[in-house]
Amino acid sequence: MLLTDLRTIFERDPAARNWIEVLFCYPGFQALLFHRVAHWLYKIGIPFLPRFISHISRFLTGIEIHPGALIGKGVFIDHGMGVVIGETAIVGDYALIYQGVTLGGTGKESGKRHPTLGSHVVVGAGAKVLGNIQIGDRVRVGAGSVVLRDVPSNTTVVGIPGRVTRQNNLSGDVLDHDKVRDVEAEVIRALFERVKALEKHLGELEDRSSLFPNELGDEQTDKPKCNNSDGMIEDFLDGAGI
């Protein structure tokens, strides 16, 4: 299993040059080394020592993995500072986890209270996956997302709270997790276009009507303000790439 972890690092990180560098300079790999030992001691019922090993690992690597967590083979924790993996979390084979990720719980409930990740899952930097939820195979979680519900396989989820934005992750490189949609900005764009269409339609109706010229004259004075706000909204959407 450790050889698989090592091989995965060379496959996914172009900065990895030799096994000595990976062994001594990759905190994600070191944290997994500590965890494999702590988890084995935890399973056979040794008290205190597994948690102490986990504590030492956090001190040395900045990565906290509870000894009870089940970590599959080929898992790569890239950079890893601030990663927290809870006691009942399950991480599937060949998952990729970036710095600042939390696989945590949502309260003080007992039993299974942490998420289960399928195989080939990518969790972007700073993402939070919370509660006893199921994350399917080949799922990509965008950086900074907060996932609180089950996510089906072969999808991409982004946002707070996390929303599915793509239904098929079978094509493309598993590492292109940065190519995700900004769903909120897209919704704002759609609403903005709808409002502009309604304003245009209303303006056409006003032009055809001459029954209440005084009232219409007061409304027309607000048009420059609308144009200014339109520019602000356009700048915001352009900044979001939408």
Side-chain angles (χ1 to χ4, degrees):
M1 185 175 291
L2 292 175
L3 290 176
T4 303
D5 296 340
L6 189 64
R7 189 181 305 112
T8 301
I9 292 176
F10 284 105
E11 292 174 354
R12 293 187 171 182
D13 189 358
R17 294 177 174 82
N18 54 73
W19 68 270
I20 296 179
E21 184 177 281
V22 171
L23 183 62
F24 289 98
C25 303
Y26 275 63
F29 182 71
Q30 294 168 349
L32 288 176
L33 285 174
F34 280 106
H35 176 72
R36 304 295 187 197
V37 176
H39 181 67
W40 179 76
L41 295 174
Y42 183 87
K43 286 197 303 181
I44 64 177
I46 302 297
F48 175 71
L49 187 57
R51 290 300 303 271
F52 185 64
I53 293 175
S54 174
H55 183 72
I56 294 175
S57 175
R58 188 183 74 161
F59 177 78
L60 295 175
T61 67
I63 299 169
E64 181 175 353
I65 308 176
H66 192 284
L70 183 60
I71 310 294
K73 65 181 180 179
V75 173
F76 181 23
I77 302 176
D78 196 4
H79 299 290
M81 179 61 70
V83 168
V84 177
I85 301 178
E87 178 183 11
T88 61
I90 300 175
V91 180
D93 297 340
Y94 301 103
L96 175 58
I97 299 173
Y98 284 88
Q99 67 272 16
V101 167
T102 298
L103 306 181
T106 56
K108 295 183 178 180
E109 68 273 13
S110 59
K112 184 73 168 69
R113 60 191 184 277
H114 298 101
T116 298
L117 274 59
S119 61
H120 300 277
V121 171
V122 179
V123 187
K128 315 300 177 185
V129 186
L130 306 176
N132 181 20
I133 59 177
Q134 302 286 326
I135 308 299
D137 298 336
R138 292 173 295 278
V139 168
R140 297 174 191 168
V141 180
S145 301
V146 178
V147 184
L148 302 173
R149 296 186 294 179
D150 293 350
V151 179
S153 299
N154 306 314
T155 56
T156 297
V157 58
V158 297
I160 303 175
R163 297 180 177 88
V164 173
T165 64
R166 188 165 64 181
Q167 298 290 339
N168 187 356
N169 284 343
L170 294 179
S171 60
D173 186 359
V174 69
L175 295 177
D176 63 355
H177 58 283
D178 57 315
K179 299 177 182 178
V180 295
R181 295 163 51 198
D182 189 336
V183 182
E184 294 181 0
E186 289 181 1
V187 171
I188 293 174
R189 165 66 74 180
L191 293 175
F192 179 51
E193 296 297 335
R194 183 176 297 182
V195 170
K196 288 200 299 183
L198 291 174
E199 289 178 343
K200 180 180 179 181
H201 182 63
L202 180 60
E204 293 174 352
L205 293 178
E206 290 175 347
D207 292 340
R208 295 175 185 175
S209 175
S210 58
L211 297 178
F212 308 102
N214 293 333
E215 295 181 7
L216 292 177
D218 295 338
E219 294 178 1
Q220 290 174 355
T221 59
D222 294 335
K223 287 186 177 180
K225 295 181 180 178
C226 292
N227 292 334
N228 291 336
S229 64
D230 287 352
M232 294 173 61
I233 296 174
E234 288 285 358
D235 291 341
F236 168 78
L237 295 174
D238 290 341
I242 303 300

